[in-house]
Amino acid sequence: MRDSRDILSQAPVVPVLAIENLDHAIPLARALVDGGIPVLEVTLRTPAGLPAIRAISEAVPDAIVGAGTVINARDFEAAVDAGSRFVVTPGLTQGILDAAADSSVPLIPGVATVSELMRALDHGIDCLKFFPAEASGGAAALKAFAGPFPNVDFCPTGGIGLHNIDDYLALRSVITVGGSWLTPSALLAAEDWAGVTKLAREAVDHVTAFRTKS
Ligand SMILES: O=C[C@H](O)COP(=O)(O)O
Ligand SMILES: CC(=O)C(=O)O
């Protein structure tokens, strides 16, 4: 098992995927991996989410696929059963914390406030999603969190794209950044996998260039 920091460290960015058509799961995952993005968050927002996690786990060995939008213990168990290597939640509940405590699959819970962050720390979890990032104060809020909590790391998500990613990458607490901008619905509808790979490469190049110069 890898822990959540180890997984997120391998992700230049984390695409947050809402897969409507199960037939898209494997070519989409391959397109992202080909573009240099191996860590994929497949949300349970669509009925295809769980079977997509299973299909990608089986057919795309270079992908590290996790589940997103896991909102209760039942989802957590189904996500693990489908082969998720990590689990992401939009928020933090006791049910999720209890499910994660009994599992070897790492949980990356969403937090938006200092109190939620402290609740995660009470349960030994110090690698978190910051969600919804832009609506919750953005990079300025994360920078402020680092004062009292210098050892907590984040994957901010929500409202982030190449237009503002640098604000987050500049923070030491940011391991990587998540978002849906890599998979616009028009590209998915057109099954334009080369277009997805191009967007992935563009994001990877951007992050690499930023990290190289800083
Ligand atoms: O975590 C999930 C979000 O829905 C992704 O946010 P975004 O669409 O603003 O990138
Ligand atoms: C937003 C988020 O964290 C999720 O859907 O898992």
Side-chain angles (χ1 to χ4, degrees):
M1 185 200 87
R2 288 172 162 159
D3 75 9
S4 45
R5 269 192 187 74
D6 184 17
I7 291 171
L8 292 180
S9 298
Q10 299 185 53
V13 292
V14 178
V16 178
L17 309 174
I19 297 176
E20 300 283 354
N21 180 343
L22 182 56
D23 291 341
H24 289 172
I26 292 171
L28 175 59
R30 286 196 177 125
L32 290 162
V33 170
D34 287 349
I37 298 183
V39 178
L40 315 177
E41 179 185 330
V42 176
T43 63
L44 305 192
R45 297 175 197 186
T46 62
L50 278 175
I53 291 170
R54 192 178 296 284
I56 296 168
S57 306
E58 289 171 3
V60 191
D62 291 339
I64 301 170
V65 61
T69 319
V70 169
I71 58 172
N72 54 43
R74 201 183 48 217
D75 282 353
F76 190 104
E77 276 147 30
V80 170
D81 185 56
S84 302
R85 309 262 293 274
F86 61 98
V87 167
V88 181
T89 63
L92 191 63
T93 66
Q94 194 57 48
I96 291 285
L97 289 164
D98 290 344
D102 292 336
S103 175
S104 61
V105 174
L107 170 68
I108 304 170
V111 304
T113 68
V114 168
S115 298
E116 291 161 1
L117 182 161
M118 288 169 65
R119 186 149 179 239
L121 286 181
D122 279 346
H123 291 263
I125 303 174
D126 60 4
C127 179
L128 308 170
K129 178 157 180 160
F130 178 46
F131 177 81
E134 282 292 289
S136 306
L142 265 191
K143 190 171 178 188
F145 289 180
F149 305 103
N151 299 318
V152 178
D153 292 323
F154 293 93
C155 173
T157 305
I160 305 176
L162 290 187
H163 62 289
N164 59 358
I165 193 171
D166 292 0
D167 298 344
Y168 293 91
L169 295 176
L171 303 177
R172 207 175 44 83
S173 62
V174 170
I175 304 178
T176 186
V177 167
S180 63
W181 83 91
L182 296 145
T183 54
S185 44
L187 286 189
L188 302 191
E191 303 189 348
D192 182 356
W193 310 126
V196 171
T197 297
K198 186 161 172 269
L199 279 185
R201 283 220 177 94
E202 185 189 14
V204 172
D205 289 348
H206 184 100
V207 172
T208 306
F210 186 92
R211 299 239 191 249
T212 306
K213 79 170 184 297
S214 41

